[in-house]
């Protein structure tokens, strides 16, 4: 389901041919890096948070960690990840398949500065 939604979204931008489908799991940063043969840091991981009751996604370098102080400075509240059982209904993709493409309307996506370390992610 997540793959089809992401593919449909990317087709609208002429980018569906860039999707890489692996035979092995890519549900974690480590698995995704192994599947495509890159360093884990080059995987853009997608983290799901709640700002009050509003879901948001943060894309970060595969090895980056959320800095709680900086998160609170930026968003005005403590970082609270979306409970696993609510991710699919709030984001549109289930845990292990969350990406920034083909998500529910109104979900904002933020890019972490850690992605700047890479020319290609």
């Amino acid at each position: 389901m997540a793959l089809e939604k992401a593919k449909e979204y990317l087709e609208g931008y002429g980018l569906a041919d860039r999707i890489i489908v692996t035979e092995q799991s890519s549900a974690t940063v480590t698995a995704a890096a192994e599947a495509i043969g890159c360093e884990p840091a080059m995987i853009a991981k997608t983290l799901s948070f709640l700002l009050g009751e509003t879901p948001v996604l943060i894309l970060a370098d595969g090895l980056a960690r959320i800095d709680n102080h900086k998160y609170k400075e930026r968003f005005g509240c403590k970082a609270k990840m979306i409970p696993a059982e609510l991710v699919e209904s709030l984001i549109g993709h289930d845990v292990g398949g969350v990406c920034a493409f083909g998500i529910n309307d109104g979900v904002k996506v933020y890019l972490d500065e850690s992605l700047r370390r890479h020319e290609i992610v």
Side-chain angles (χ1 to χ4, degrees):
M1 176 87 152
L3 175 59
E4 290 306 314
K5 287 175 72 177
K7 184 177 180 181
E8 182 180 314
Y9 176 85
L10 291 170
E11 281 174 346
Y13 294 93
L15 299 171
D17 62 329
R18 294 192 183 184
I19 296 172
I20 298 170
V21 179
T22 61
E23 294 205 12
Q24 63 192 58
S25 173
S26 60
T28 66
V29 168
T30 302
E34 287 175 8
I36 64 169
C38 71
E39 295 296 317
M42 293 179 74
I43 300 295
K45 66 180 172 184
T46 308
L47 303 163
S48 309
F49 291 93
L50 284 173
L51 294 178
E53 303 217 3
T54 304
V56 298
L57 296 178
I58 298 177
L59 274 62
D61 167 316
L63 297 179
R65 301 282 181 245
I66 295 299
D67 180 317
N68 287 318
H69 177 74
K70 288 180 181 178
Y71 184 98
K72 189 170 186 177
E73 242 179 41
R74 171 63 178 92
F75 296 109
C77 61
K78 183 178 175 182
K80 180 182 175 189
M81 293 198 79
I82 299 174
E85 65 273 8
L86 297 178
V87 171
E88 185 171 19
S89 65
L90 294 175
I91 301 297
H93 300 303
D94 203 2
V95 173
V98 176
C99 71
F101 308 112
I103 57 178
N104 291 344
D105 289 339
V107 176
K108 289 187 179 181
V109 178
Y110 296 89
L111 302 178
D112 185 71
E113 288 193 18
S114 62
L115 295 173
R116 290 182 191 233
R117 293 188 281 240
H118 309 282
E119 188 174 322
I120 297 173
V121 180

